[in-house]
Amino acid sequence: MKNIVLFGKPGAGKGTQSEKIIEKYQLTHLSTGDLFRLHLKEETSLGKLAKKYMDEGQLVPDEVVINMVQDKIQYTKHSNGFLFDGFPRTVAQAEALDKMLNANQMMISGMIALEVDDEELVKRLLLRGESSGRADDKDESIIRKRIEVYNEDTAPVADYYKKQGKYNEVYGIGEIEEIFAQLCRVIDQL
Ligand code: AMP
């Protein structure tokens, strides 16, 4: 079983690469952003709560995110492993994830950071906003806010995994297939 955290700023290519990774390694994809967007679409109370944070490019409070992930992990306990995408985004979330996995006799095998510089991300997200229908991709100030929140709140999560000796890095600019091949090289060694 492999439980992997795919890490990277908004627009780094986590969604695209996740699709390919889950297919090849038969992992359960757990994207907190996708889950929130589903709640938003179905207008659940969780969706309504998350919306105001998402619209502003802020993080949804830890407790809300952690409870949502907890439900998913329990529901799909017997998979080949999980690919966590967009989670954990704070050190508190990373600690909670370790506890949840331990309680189910599982652990994180490794974290892989997709590295892309900030100006490239802004360009990519504005382009994605033309077709994705995502409100948070349409406005450059919201995009910059998301990158800022990442640099402040999420970057320390990399150190959390570095201390555990689980940190890996892949350069995220180039051909999708070449980046995927590099990710696979890392995953195969986990
Ligand atoms: P994403 O699709 O991963 O870029 O997530 C879109 C938005 O959902 C983020 O800008 C946050 O508002 C919210 N979100 C997704 N995952 C998390 C998380 N792990 N912690 C807090 N907020 C999150």
Side-chain angles (χ1 to χ4, degrees):
M1 180 187 242
K2 284 184 186 184
N3 294 305
I4 299 164
V5 173
L6 189 60
F7 195 71
K9 296 182 188 183
K14 297 191 297 295
T16 306
Q17 295 295 342
S18 286
E19 294 301 325
K20 299 175 75 65
I21 294 169
I22 55 166
E23 195 193 322
K24 175 163 176 178
Y25 295 94
Q26 295 291 298
L27 302 177
T28 301
H29 188 197
L30 205 159
S31 156
T32 42
D34 284 354
L35 288 174
F36 282 131
R37 278 184 287 279
L38 201 67
H39 279 280
L40 223 76
K41 205 170 125 200
E42 291 176 355
E43 297 181 353
T44 66
S45 51
L46 182 58
K48 282 177 195 149
L49 190 152
K51 186 178 181 335
K52 64 173 192 285
Y53 297 98
M54 295 172 80
D55 283 352
E56 289 173 10
Q58 300 281 4
L59 294 182
V60 178
D62 283 338
E63 197 190 297
V64 177
V65 186
I66 291 165
N67 285 339
M68 182 175 76
V69 171
Q70 173 109 47
D71 282 351
K72 279 279 157 191
I73 287 181
Q74 275 167 356
Y75 187 62
T76 25
K77 224 158 92 177
H78 301 292
S79 75
N80 269 345
F82 287 94
L83 180 68
F84 296 100
D85 165 5
F87 176 87
R89 256 177 158 100
T90 63
V91 171
Q93 291 180 17
E95 287 169 350
L97 178 60
D98 273 350
K99 279 201 196 116
M100 283 183 240
L101 292 176
N102 285 343
N104 291 292
Q105 285 80 48
M106 296 188 281
M107 60 180 229
I108 291 296
S109 317
M111 181 243 223
I112 314 175
L114 263 179
E115 285 300 323
V116 178
D117 63 78
D118 291 358
E119 289 313 309
E120 169 73 16
L121 294 173
V122 174
K123 263 194 269 167
R124 283 188 188 182
L125 289 172
L126 283 171
L127 196 69
R128 184 169 85 181
E130 289 172 13
S131 58
S132 72
R134 279 182 60 166
D136 58 349
D137 284 347
K138 286 207 184 345
D139 182 327
E140 186 166 338
S141 64
I142 306 273
I143 290 174
R144 291 198 182 272
K145 179 76 205 167
R146 285 156 66 201
I147 295 174
E148 190 188 311
V149 166
Y150 181 99
N151 288 337
E152 272 176 28
D153 298 334
T154 307
V157 175
D159 293 329
Y160 178 86
Y161 289 105
K162 273 181 196 161
K163 279 189 204 137
Q164 296 187 359
K166 292 180 178 172
Y167 179 85
N168 302 274
E169 202 173 287
V170 164
Y171 186 58
I173 297 184
E175 293 294 320
I176 289 174
E177 287 305 327
E178 177 48 34
I179 297 167
F180 179 57
Q182 288 184 49
L183 288 168
C184 292
R185 258 173 250 140
V186 175
I187 294 171
D188 287 341
Q189 286 172 8
L190 295 178

